[in-house]
Amino acid sequence: MAENTGAKRLKITLVRSPIGFSKSQKATVQGMGLRRIRHSVELADTAETRGMILKVRHLITVEE
């Protein structure tokens, strides 16, 4: 699947450990591609990504 390079991107950084939180939240962090604290990824600004951000907003920071 090719991504549109003109689409808006979000830089997401894991700032807190998901240890001690629900399995669902841990899976969301892993699904975003975040591996360890201070690890950052860039994801497309889609409704799906925004839903994931909302679910784990207490564990991450987001830069536009």
Side-chain angles (χ1 to χ4, degrees):
M1 174 181 357
E3 288 189 36
N4 183 0
T5 57
K8 191 171 180 185
R9 307 288 288 177
L10 299 172
K11 182 179 179 184
I12 301 166
T13 305
L14 186 63
V15 293
R16 289 191 63 197
S17 172
I19 294 173
F21 291 96
S22 71
K23 287 183 181 180
S24 176
Q25 290 176 338
K26 289 179 190 179
T28 300
V29 168
Q30 186 177 16
M32 294 172 89
L34 296 167
R35 305 254 183 249
R36 60 193 164 278
I37 295 175
R38 286 178 279 165
H39 183 227
S40 297
V41 294
E42 283 196 13
L43 299 174
D45 187 7
T46 63
E48 293 82 4
T49 303
R50 289 287 180 169
M52 294 171 86
I53 290 169
L54 187 62
K55 187 169 187 174
V56 294
R57 64 188 175 270
H58 54 288
L59 301 175
I60 62 174
T61 59
V62 180
E63 298 174 30
E64 296 191 32

